[in-house]
PDB file of all heavy atoms in Angstrom:
ATOM      1  N   GLY A   1      67.047 -19.171 -39.339  1.00 98.00           N
ATOM      2  CA  GLY A   1      67.139 -18.045 -38.417  1.00 98.00           C
ATOM      3  C   GLY A   1      68.279 -17.044 -38.704  1.00 98.00           C
ATOM      4  O   GLY A   1      68.804 -16.425 -37.810  1.00 98.00           O
ATOM      5  N   LEU A   2      68.560 -16.834 -40.018  1.00 98.00           N
ATOM      6  CA  LEU A   2      69.582 -15.877 -40.420  1.00 98.00           C
ATOM      7  C   LEU A   2      68.975 -14.999 -41.527  1.00 98.00           C
ATOM      8  O   LEU A   2      68.547 -15.496 -42.537  1.00 98.00           O
ATOM      9  CB  LEU A   2      70.855 -16.544 -40.902  1.00 98.00           C
ATOM     10  CG  LEU A   2      71.954 -15.627 -41.394  1.00 98.00           C
ATOM     11  CD1 LEU A   2      72.505 -14.774 -40.289  1.00 98.00           C
ATOM     12  CD2 LEU A   2      73.095 -16.431 -42.122  1.00 98.00           C
ATOM     13  N   ILE A   3      69.000 -13.683 -41.306  1.00 98.00           N
ATOM     14  CA  ILE A   3      68.562 -12.720 -42.310  1.00 98.00           C
ATOM     15  C   ILE A   3      69.776 -12.310 -43.136  1.00 98.00           C
ATOM     16  O   ILE A   3      70.690 -11.678 -42.655  1.00 98.00           O
ATOM     17  CB  ILE A   3      67.913 -11.487 -41.669  1.00 98.00           C
ATOM     18  CG1 ILE A   3      66.746 -11.892 -40.765  1.00 98.00           C
ATOM     19  CG2 ILE A   3      67.469 -10.480 -42.723  1.00 98.00           C
ATOM     20  CD1 ILE A   3      65.592 -12.436 -41.475  1.00 98.00           C
ATOM     21  N   ILE A   4      69.739 -12.701 -44.397  1.00 98.00           N
ATOM     22  CA  ILE A   4      70.858 -12.393 -45.274  1.00 98.00           C
ATOM     23  C   ILE A   4      70.334 -12.230 -46.688  1.00 98.00           C
ATOM     24  O   ILE A   4      69.366 -12.864 -47.089  1.00 98.00           O
ATOM     25  CB  ILE A   4      71.932 -13.509 -45.197  1.00 98.00           C
ATOM     26  CG1 ILE A   4      73.260 -13.057 -45.803  1.00 98.00           C
ATOM     27  CG2 ILE A   4      71.422 -14.797 -45.812  1.00 98.00           C
ATOM     28  CD1 ILE A   4      74.417 -13.999 -45.472  1.00 98.00           C
ATOM     29  N   GLU A   5      70.953 -11.311 -47.482  1.00 96.00           N
ATOM     30  CA  GLU A   5      70.463 -11.060 -48.806  1.00 96.00           C
ATOM     31  C   GLU A   5      71.562 -11.284 -49.869  1.00 96.00           C
ATOM     32  O   GLU A   5      72.702 -11.561 -49.563  1.00 96.00           O
ATOM     33  CB  GLU A   5      69.927  -9.608 -48.911  1.00 96.00           C
ATOM     34  CG  GLU A   5      70.976  -8.541 -48.857  1.00 96.00           C
ATOM     35  CD  GLU A   5      70.559  -7.191 -49.406  1.00 96.00           C
ATOM     36  OE1 GLU A   5      69.568  -7.151 -50.167  1.00 96.00           O
ATOM     37  OE2 GLU A   5      71.211  -6.151 -49.079  1.00 96.00           O
ATOM     38  N   THR A   6      71.102 -11.158 -51.104  1.00 97.00           N
ATOM     39  CA  THR A   6      72.021 -11.273 -52.239  1.00 97.00           C
ATOM     40  C   THR A   6      72.272  -9.904 -52.855  1.00 97.00           C
ATOM     41  O   THR A   6      71.564  -8.942 -52.617  1.00 97.00           O
ATOM     42  CB  THR A   6      71.419 -12.216 -53.327  1.00 97.00           C
ATOM     43  OG1 THR A   6      70.205 -11.651 -53.792  1.00 97.00           O
ATOM     44  CG2 THR A   6      71.185 -13.590 -52.743  1.00 97.00           C
ATOM     45  N   SER A   7      73.312  -9.793 -53.650  1.00 96.00           N
ATOM     46  CA  SER A   7      73.575  -8.589 -54.450  1.00 96.00           C
ATOM     47  C   SER A   7      74.281  -8.956 -55.693  1.00 96.00           C
ATOM     48  O   SER A   7      74.673 -10.129 -55.915  1.00 96.00           O
ATOM     49  CB  SER A   7      74.376  -7.543 -53.616  1.00 96.00           C
ATOM     50  OG  SER A   7      75.718  -7.944 -53.559  1.00 96.00           O
ATOM     51  N   GLY A   8      74.529  -7.967 -56.538  1.00 96.00           N
ATOM     52  CA  GLY A   8      75.179  -8.218 -57.814  1.00 96.00           C
ATOM     53  C   GLY A   8      74.183  -8.207 -58.960  1.00 96.00           C
ATOM     54  O   GLY A   8      72.968  -8.363 -58.767  1.00 96.00           O
ATOM     55  N   PRO A   9      74.647  -8.018 -60.194  1.00 94.00           N
ATOM     56  CA  PRO A   9      73.766  -7.939 -61.340  1.00 94.00           C
ATOM     57  C   PRO A   9      72.917  -9.187 -61.581  1.00 94.00           C
ATOM     58  O   PRO A   9      71.845  -9.114 -62.171  1.00 94.00           O
ATOM     59  CB  PRO A   9      74.694  -7.619 -62.523  1.00 94.00           C
ATOM     60  CG  PRO A   9      76.061  -8.064 -62.064  1.00 94.00           C
ATOM     61  CD  PRO A   9      76.074  -7.809 -60.574  1.00 94.00           C
ATOM     62  N   LYS A  10      73.376 -10.320 -61.144  1.00 94.00           N
ATOM     63  CA  LYS A  10      72.652 -11.576 -61.292  1.00 94.00           C
ATOM     64  C   LYS A  10      72.335 -12.171 -59.923  1.00 94.00           C
ATOM     65  O   LYS A  10      72.108 -13.391 -59.845  1.00 94.00           O
ATOM     66  CB  LYS A  10      73.457 -12.566 -62.135  1.00 94.00           C
ATOM     67  CG  LYS A  10      73.720 -12.108 -63.580  1.00 94.00           C
ATOM     68  CD  LYS A  10      74.341 -13.188 -64.450  1.00 94.00           C
ATOM     69  CE  LYS A  10      75.739 -13.545 -63.933  1.00 94.00           C
ATOM     70  NZ  LYS A  10      76.377 -14.593 -64.791  1.00 94.00           N
ATOM     71  N   ASP A  11      72.373 -11.349 -58.875  1.00 95.00           N
ATOM     72  CA  ASP A  11      72.145 -11.838 -57.523  1.00 95.00           C
ATOM     73  C   ASP A  11      73.101 -12.967 -57.184  1.00 95.00           C
ATOM     74  O   ASP A  11      72.766 -13.940 -56.519  1.00 95.00           O
ATOM     75  CB  ASP A  11      70.701 -12.304 -57.309  1.00 95.00           C
ATOM     76  CG  ASP A  11      69.735 -11.149 -57.195  1.00 95.00           C
ATOM     77  OD1 ASP A  11      70.116 -10.088 -56.672  1.00 95.00           O
ATOM     78  OD2 ASP A  11      68.586 -11.290 -57.607  1.00 95.00           O
ATOM     79  N   GLU A  12      74.355 -12.832 -57.667  1.00 97.00           N
ATOM     80  CA  GLU A  12      75.291 -13.899 -57.533  1.00 97.00           C
ATOM     81  C   GLU A  12      76.168 -13.830 -56.252  1.00 97.00           C
ATOM     82  O   GLU A  12      77.005 -14.689 -56.012  1.00 97.00           O
ATOM     83  CB  GLU A  12      76.219 -13.922 -58.762  1.00 97.00           C
ATOM     84  CG  GLU A  12      77.288 -12.811 -58.815  1.00 97.00           C
ATOM     85  CD  GLU A  12      76.777 -11.470 -59.380  1.00 97.00           C
ATOM     86  OE1 GLU A  12      75.528 -11.324 -59.415  1.00 97.00           O
ATOM     87  OE2 GLU A  12      77.588 -10.593 -59.693  1.00 97.00           O
ATOM     88  N   VAL A  13      75.956 -12.811 -55.441  1.00 98.00           N
ATOM     89  CA  VAL A  13      76.810 -12.623 -54.258  1.00 98.00           C
ATOM     90  C   VAL A  13      75.950 -12.748 -53.001  1.00 98.00           C
ATOM     91  O   VAL A  13      74.854 -12.144 -52.855  1.00 98.00           O
ATOM     92  CB  VAL A  13      77.444 -11.232 -54.271  1.00 98.00           C
ATOM     93  CG1 VAL A  13      78.320 -10.986 -53.017  1.00 98.00           C
ATOM     94  CG2 VAL A  13      78.275 -11.026 -55.517  1.00 98.00           C
ATOM     95  N   VAL A  14      76.377 -13.575 -52.069  1.00 98.00           N
ATOM     96  CA  VAL A  14      75.800 -13.636 -50.709  1.00 98.00           C
ATOM     97  C   VAL A  14      76.457 -12.488 -49.926  1.00 98.00           C
ATOM     98  O   VAL A  14      77.686 -12.501 -49.764  1.00 98.00           O
ATOM     99  CB  VAL A  14      76.023 -15.007 -50.044  1.00 98.00           C
ATOM    100  CG1 VAL A  14      75.427 -14.973 -48.650  1.00 98.00           C
ATOM    101  CG2 VAL A  14      75.404 -16.106 -50.850  1.00 98.00           C
ATOM    102  N   LYS A  15      75.667 -11.599 -49.430  1.00 98.00           N
ATOM    103  CA  LYS A  15      76.110 -10.303 -48.919  1.00 98.00           C
ATOM    104  C   LYS A  15      76.043 -10.261 -47.390  1.00 98.00           C
ATOM    105  O   LYS A  15      74.985 -10.524 -46.818  1.00 98.00           O
ATOM    106  CB  LYS A  15      75.300  -9.189 -49.540  1.00 98.00           C
ATOM    107  CG  LYS A  15      75.638  -7.782 -49.104  1.00 98.00           C
ATOM    108  CD  LYS A  15      74.676  -6.834 -49.861  1.00 98.00           C
ATOM    109  CE  LYS A  15      74.901  -5.388 -49.518  1.00 98.00           C
ATOM    110  NZ  LYS A  15      73.907  -4.518 -50.214  1.00 98.00           N
ATOM    111  N   PHE A  16      77.164  -9.910 -46.759  1.00 98.00           N
ATOM    112  CA  PHE A  16      77.218  -9.859 -45.277  1.00 98.00           C
ATOM    113  C   PHE A  16      77.264  -8.366 -44.855  1.00 98.00           C
ATOM    114  O   PHE A  16      78.246  -7.686 -45.091  1.00 98.00           O
ATOM    115  CB  PHE A  16      78.448 -10.581 -44.768  1.00 98.00           C
ATOM    116  CG  PHE A  16      78.576 -11.940 -45.323  1.00 98.00           C
ATOM    117  CD1 PHE A  16      79.690 -12.338 -46.077  1.00 98.00           C
ATOM    118  CD2 PHE A  16      77.603 -12.913 -45.171  1.00 98.00           C
ATOM    119  CE1 PHE A  16      79.815 -13.568 -46.643  1.00 98.00           C
ATOM    120  CE2 PHE A  16      77.709 -14.190 -45.705  1.00 98.00           C
ATOM    121  CZ  PHE A  16      78.804 -14.511 -46.425  1.00 98.00           C
ATOM    122  N   LEU A  17      76.206  -7.951 -44.181  1.00 98.00           N
ATOM    123  CA  LEU A  17      76.057  -6.543 -43.774  1.00 98.00           C
ATOM    124  C   LEU A  17      75.494  -6.472 -42.344  1.00 98.00           C
ATOM    125  O   LEU A  17      74.472  -5.879 -42.105  1.00 98.00           O
ATOM    126  CB  LEU A  17      75.123  -5.822 -44.762  1.00 98.00           C
ATOM    127  CG  LEU A  17      75.404  -4.386 -45.124  1.00 98.00           C
ATOM    128  CD1 LEU A  17      76.687  -4.265 -45.899  1.00 98.00           C
ATOM    129  CD2 LEU A  17      74.199  -3.845 -45.950  1.00 98.00           C
ATOM    130  N   PRO A  18      76.177  -7.104 -41.396  1.00 98.00           N
ATOM    131  CA  PRO A  18      75.613  -7.164 -40.017  1.00 98.00           C
ATOM    132  C   PRO A  18      75.754  -5.768 -39.349  1.00 98.00           C
ATOM    133  O   PRO A  18      76.581  -4.927 -39.771  1.00 98.00           O
ATOM    134  CB  PRO A  18      76.504  -8.153 -39.319  1.00 98.00           C
ATOM    135  CG  PRO A  18      77.822  -8.039 -40.044  1.00 98.00           C
ATOM    136  CD  PRO A  18      77.459  -7.790 -41.480  1.00 98.00           C
ATOM    137  N   PRO A  19      74.939  -5.492 -38.323  1.00 98.00           N
ATOM    138  CA  PRO A  19      75.177  -4.285 -37.518  1.00 98.00           C
ATOM    139  C   PRO A  19      76.634  -4.254 -37.033  1.00 98.00           C
ATOM    140  O   PRO A  19      77.213  -5.273 -36.683  1.00 98.00           O
ATOM    141  CB  PRO A  19      74.184  -4.419 -36.367  1.00 98.00           C
ATOM    142  CG  PRO A  19      73.130  -5.330 -36.894  1.00 98.00           C
ATOM    143  CD  PRO A  19      73.841  -6.297 -37.788  1.00 98.00           C
ATOM    144  N   LEU A  20      77.210  -3.061 -37.024  1.00 98.00           N
ATOM    145  CA  LEU A  20      78.590  -2.948 -36.583  1.00 98.00           C
ATOM    146  C   LEU A  20      78.819  -3.280 -35.138  1.00 98.00           C
ATOM    147  O   LEU A  20      79.941  -3.602 -34.726  1.00 98.00           O
ATOM    148  CB  LEU A  20      79.092  -1.468 -36.852  1.00 98.00           C
ATOM    149  CG  LEU A  20      78.959  -0.958 -38.249  1.00 98.00           C
ATOM    150  CD1 LEU A  20      79.555   0.415 -38.363  1.00 98.00           C
ATOM    151  CD2 LEU A  20      79.622  -1.882 -39.263  1.00 98.00           C
ATOM    152  N   ILE A  21      77.740  -3.268 -34.341  1.00 98.00           N
ATOM    153  CA  ILE A  21      77.867  -3.558 -32.925  1.00 98.00           C
ATOM    154  C   ILE A  21      77.756  -5.026 -32.599  1.00 98.00           C
ATOM    155  O   ILE A  21      77.874  -5.444 -31.427  1.00 98.00           O
ATOM    156  CB  ILE A  21      76.759  -2.775 -32.128  1.00 98.00           C
ATOM    157  CG1 ILE A  21      75.358  -3.023 -32.730  1.00 98.00           C
ATOM    158  CG2 ILE A  21      77.098  -1.296 -32.130  1.00 98.00           C
ATOM    159  CD1 ILE A  21      74.645  -4.245 -32.303  1.00 98.00           C
ATOM    160  N   ILE A  22      77.572  -5.873 -33.622  1.00 98.00           N
ATOM    161  CA  ILE A  22      77.457  -7.300 -33.385  1.00 98.00           C
ATOM    162  C   ILE A  22      78.746  -7.816 -32.681  1.00 98.00           C
ATOM    163  O   ILE A  22      79.826  -7.347 -32.979  1.00 98.00           O
ATOM    164  CB  ILE A  22      77.237  -8.042 -34.712  1.00 98.00           C
ATOM    165  CG1 ILE A  22      76.798  -9.477 -34.481  1.00 98.00           C
ATOM    166  CG2 ILE A  22      78.482  -7.988 -35.624  1.00 98.00           C
ATOM    167  CD1 ILE A  22      76.327 -10.233 -35.736  1.00 98.00           C
ATOM    168  N   ASP A  23      78.562  -8.784 -31.823  1.00 98.00           N
ATOM    169  CA  ASP A  23      79.760  -9.363 -31.154  1.00 98.00           C
ATOM    170  C   ASP A  23      80.239 -10.569 -31.932  1.00 98.00           C
ATOM    171  O   ASP A  23      79.616 -11.028 -32.865  1.00 98.00           O
ATOM    172  CB  ASP A  23      79.460  -9.704 -29.678  1.00 98.00           C
ATOM    173  CG  ASP A  23      78.255 -10.635 -29.525  1.00 98.00           C
ATOM    174  OD1 ASP A  23      78.023 -11.442 -30.458  1.00 98.00           O
ATOM    175  OD2 ASP A  23      77.640 -10.565 -28.450  1.00 98.00           O
ATOM    176  N   GLU A  24      81.403 -11.089 -31.511  1.00 98.00           N
ATOM    177  CA  GLU A  24      81.990 -12.232 -32.241  1.00 98.00           C
ATOM    178  C   GLU A  24      81.131 -13.468 -32.170  1.00 98.00           C
ATOM    179  O   GLU A  24      81.062 -14.229 -33.089  1.00 98.00           O
ATOM    180  CB  GLU A  24      83.429 -12.502 -31.705  1.00 98.00           C
ATOM    181  CG  GLU A  24      84.402 -11.411 -32.058  1.00 98.00           C
ATOM    182  CD  GLU A  24      85.852 -11.779 -31.739  1.00 98.00           C
ATOM    183  OE1 GLU A  24      86.058 -12.959 -31.272  1.00 98.00           O
ATOM    184  OE2 GLU A  24      86.747 -10.949 -31.948  1.00 98.00           O
ATOM    185  N   ASP A  25      80.399 -13.620 -31.037  1.00 98.00           N
ATOM    186  CA  ASP A  25      79.561 -14.770 -30.858  1.00 98.00           C
ATOM    187  C   ASP A  25      78.432 -14.715 -31.891  1.00 98.00           C
ATOM    188  O   ASP A  25      78.109 -15.699 -32.550  1.00 98.00           O
ATOM    189  CB  ASP A  25      78.966 -14.778 -29.466  1.00 98.00           C
ATOM    190  CG  ASP A  25      78.088 -15.994 -29.190  1.00 98.00           C
ATOM    191  OD1 ASP A  25      78.601 -17.130 -29.343  1.00 98.00           O
ATOM    192  OD2 ASP A  25      76.934 -15.822 -28.803  1.00 98.00           O
ATOM    193  N   GLY A  26      77.866 -13.535 -32.110  1.00 98.00           N
ATOM    194  CA  GLY A  26      76.802 -13.367 -33.069  1.00 98.00           C
ATOM    195  C   GLY A  26      77.296 -13.585 -34.505  1.00 98.00           C
ATOM    196  O   GLY A  26      76.597 -14.260 -35.305  1.00 98.00           O
ATOM    197  N   LEU A  27      78.489 -13.143 -34.807  1.00 98.00           N
ATOM    198  CA  LEU A  27      79.082 -13.375 -36.159  1.00 98.00           C
ATOM    199  C   LEU A  27      79.270 -14.887 -36.369  1.00 98.00           C
ATOM    200  O   LEU A  27      78.919 -15.383 -37.449  1.00 98.00           O
ATOM    201  CB  LEU A  27      80.387 -12.640 -36.297  1.00 98.00           C
ATOM    202  CG  LEU A  27      80.345 -11.127 -36.498  1.00 98.00           C
ATOM    203  CD1 LEU A  27      81.708 -10.524 -36.414  1.00 98.00           C
ATOM    204  CD2 LEU A  27      79.673 -10.765 -37.843  1.00 98.00           C
ATOM    205  N   ASN A  28      79.818 -15.541 -35.385  1.00 98.00           N
ATOM    206  CA  ASN A  28      80.087 -16.971 -35.542  1.00 98.00           C
ATOM    207  C   ASN A  28      78.826 -17.783 -35.658  1.00 98.00           C
ATOM    208  O   ASN A  28      78.724 -18.698 -36.459  1.00 98.00           O
ATOM    209  CB  ASN A  28      80.973 -17.483 -34.402  1.00 98.00           C
ATOM    210  CG  ASN A  28      82.455 -17.169 -34.602  1.00 98.00           C
ATOM    211  OD1 ASN A  28      82.969 -17.291 -35.676  1.00 98.00           O
ATOM    212  ND2 ASN A  28      83.113 -16.734 -33.515  1.00 98.00           N
ATOM    213  N   LYS A  29      77.783 -17.433 -34.844  1.00 98.00           N
ATOM    214  CA  LYS A  29      76.518 -18.145 -34.958  1.00 98.00           C
ATOM    215  C   LYS A  29      75.910 -17.939 -36.350  1.00 98.00           C
ATOM    216  O   LYS A  29      75.345 -18.879 -36.934  1.00 98.00           O
ATOM    217  CB  LYS A  29      75.551 -17.620 -33.888  1.00 98.00           C
ATOM    218  CG  LYS A  29      75.884 -18.167 -32.485  1.00 98.00           C
ATOM    219  CD  LYS A  29      74.884 -17.645 -31.432  1.00 98.00           C
ATOM    220  CE  LYS A  29      75.199 -18.196 -30.061  1.00 98.00           C
ATOM    221  NZ  LYS A  29      74.272 -17.656 -29.028  1.00 98.00           N
ATOM    222  N   GLY A  30      75.982 -16.700 -36.830  1.00 98.00           N
ATOM    223  CA  GLY A  30      75.449 -16.418 -38.160  1.00 98.00           C
ATOM    224  C   GLY A  30      76.171 -17.235 -39.245  1.00 98.00           C
ATOM    225  O   GLY A  30      75.527 -17.846 -40.140  1.00 98.00           O
ATOM    226  N   PHE A  31      77.479 -17.288 -39.152  1.00 98.00           N
ATOM    227  CA  PHE A  31      78.240 -18.028 -40.171  1.00 98.00           C
ATOM    228  C   PHE A  31      78.065 -19.558 -39.996  1.00 98.00           C
ATOM    229  O   PHE A  31      78.122 -20.313 -40.974  1.00 98.00           O
ATOM    230  CB  PHE A  31      79.720 -17.670 -40.122  1.00 98.00           C
ATOM    231  CG  PHE A  31      80.034 -16.489 -40.981  1.00 98.00           C
ATOM    232  CD1 PHE A  31      80.136 -15.228 -40.484  1.00 98.00           C
ATOM    233  CD2 PHE A  31      80.196 -16.691 -42.373  1.00 98.00           C
ATOM    234  CE1 PHE A  31      80.416 -14.145 -41.292  1.00 98.00           C
ATOM    235  CE2 PHE A  31      80.482 -15.601 -43.220  1.00 98.00           C
ATOM    236  CZ  PHE A  31      80.575 -14.340 -42.672  1.00 98.00           C
ATOM    237  N   ASP A  32      77.803 -19.997 -38.777  1.00 98.00           N
ATOM    238  CA  ASP A  32      77.482 -21.425 -38.565  1.00 98.00           C
ATOM    239  C   ASP A  32      76.192 -21.780 -39.294  1.00 98.00           C
ATOM    240  O   ASP A  32      76.112 -22.827 -39.933  1.00 98.00           O
ATOM    241  CB  ASP A  32      77.361 -21.751 -37.071  1.00 98.00           C
ATOM    242  CG  ASP A  32      78.675 -21.759 -36.339  1.00 98.00           C
ATOM    243  OD1 ASP A  32      79.741 -21.784 -37.011  1.00 98.00           O
ATOM    244  OD2 ASP A  32      78.685 -21.699 -35.088  1.00 98.00           O
ATOM    245  N   ILE A  33      75.188 -20.899 -39.177  1.00 98.00           N
ATOM    246  CA  ILE A  33      73.886 -21.098 -39.875  1.00 98.00           C
ATOM    247  C   ILE A  33      74.146 -21.120 -41.374  1.00 98.00           C
ATOM    248  O   ILE A  33      73.596 -21.952 -42.114  1.00 98.00           O
ATOM    249  CB  ILE A  33      72.882 -20.035 -39.481  1.00 98.00           C
ATOM    250  CG1 ILE A  33      72.498 -20.226 -37.989  1.00 98.00           C
ATOM    251  CG2 ILE A  33      71.632 -20.088 -40.400  1.00 98.00           C
ATOM    252  CD1 ILE A  33      71.606 -19.064 -37.503  1.00 98.00           C
ATOM    253  N   LEU A  34      74.941 -20.177 -41.853  1.00 98.00           N
ATOM    254  CA  LEU A  34      75.257 -20.090 -43.296  1.00 98.00           C
ATOM    255  C   LEU A  34      75.906 -21.388 -43.762  1.00 98.00           C
ATOM    256  O   LEU A  34      75.566 -21.941 -44.818  1.00 98.00           O
ATOM    257  CB  LEU A  34      76.123 -18.915 -43.578  1.00 98.00           C
ATOM    258  CG  LEU A  34      76.524 -18.723 -45.055  1.00 98.00           C
ATOM    259  CD1 LEU A  34      75.287 -18.378 -45.881  1.00 98.00           C
ATOM    260  CD2 LEU A  34      77.616 -17.669 -45.242  1.00 98.00           C
ATOM    261  N   ASP A  35      76.880 -21.843 -43.001  1.00 98.00           N
ATOM    262  CA  ASP A  35      77.598 -23.108 -43.339  1.00 98.00           C
ATOM    263  C   ASP A  35      76.620 -24.253 -43.456  1.00 98.00           C
ATOM    264  O   ASP A  35      76.646 -25.023 -44.436  1.00 98.00           O
ATOM    265  CB  ASP A  35      78.666 -23.365 -42.255  1.00 98.00           C
ATOM    266  CG  ASP A  35      79.687 -24.428 -42.685  1.00 98.00           C
ATOM    267  OD1 ASP A  35      79.281 -25.363 -43.367  1.00 98.00           O
ATOM    268  OD2 ASP A  35      80.842 -24.299 -42.286  1.00 98.00           O
ATOM    269  N   GLU A  36      75.751 -24.385 -42.455  1.00 98.00           N
ATOM    270  CA  GLU A  36      74.717 -25.443 -42.463  1.00 98.00           C
ATOM    271  C   GLU A  36      73.797 -25.317 -43.683  1.00 98.00           C
ATOM    272  O   GLU A  36      73.435 -26.330 -44.284  1.00 98.00           O
ATOM    273  CB  GLU A  36      73.917 -25.412 -41.182  1.00 98.00           C
ATOM    274  CG  GLU A  36      74.722 -25.712 -39.917  1.00 98.00           C
ATOM    275  CD  GLU A  36      73.998 -25.295 -38.667  1.00 98.00           C
ATOM    276  OE1 GLU A  36      72.817 -24.798 -38.804  1.00 98.00           O
ATOM    277  OE2 GLU A  36      74.548 -25.414 -37.565  1.00 98.00           O
ATOM    278  N   SER A  37      73.504 -24.086 -44.024  1.00 98.00           N
ATOM    279  CA  SER A  37      72.588 -23.831 -45.127  1.00 98.00           C
ATOM    280  C   SER A  37      73.209 -24.202 -46.475  1.00 98.00           C
ATOM    281  O   SER A  37      72.544 -24.833 -47.317  1.00 98.00           O
ATOM    282  CB  SER A  37      72.177 -22.361 -45.174  1.00 98.00           C
ATOM    283  OG  SER A  37      71.532 -21.985 -43.946  1.00 98.00           O
ATOM    284  N   ILE A  38      74.457 -23.909 -46.606  1.00 98.00           N
ATOM    285  CA  ILE A  38      75.161 -24.244 -47.852  1.00 98.00           C
ATOM    286  C   ILE A  38      75.242 -25.820 -47.992  1.00 98.00           C
ATOM    287  O   ILE A  38      74.989 -26.369 -49.052  1.00 98.00           O
ATOM    288  CB  ILE A  38      76.609 -23.639 -47.871  1.00 98.00           C
ATOM    289  CG1 ILE A  38      76.513 -22.146 -47.956  1.00 98.00           C
ATOM    290  CG2 ILE A  38      77.435 -24.198 -49.001  1.00 98.00           C
ATOM    291  CD1 ILE A  38      77.829 -21.405 -47.797  1.00 98.00           C
ATOM    292  N   ALA A  39      75.600 -26.444 -46.879  1.00 98.00           N
ATOM    293  CA  ALA A  39      75.662 -27.889 -46.879  1.00 98.00           C
ATOM    294  C   ALA A  39      74.348 -28.508 -47.298  1.00 98.00           C
ATOM    295  O   ALA A  39      74.284 -29.473 -48.093  1.00 98.00           O
ATOM    296  CB  ALA A  39      76.127 -28.412 -45.529  1.00 98.00           C
TER     297      ALA A  39
END
């Protein structure tokens, strides 16, 4: 449930480009999903 893309010449970067209006709760939920995904 997280929309996130890669960037860089070899797609080596996980890129964070959320809407500027996102609240802290949304940021933390997104990073929680990312943390779980990496694990």
Side-chain angles (χ1 to χ4, degrees):
L2 177 66
I3 303 293
I4 194 166
E5 69 162 341
T6 61
S7 75
K10 298 188 294 182
D11 285 328
E12 74 277 16
V13 180
V14 179
K15 180 180 180 182
F16 310 119
L17 215 66
L20 304 183
I21 51 83
I22 193 170
D23 55 28
E24 292 190 2
D25 184 57
L27 285 171
N28 280 318
K29 285 181 179 177
F31 272 98
D32 288 344
I33 293 173
L34 179 68
D35 193 325
E36 294 164 3
S37 302
I38 293 171

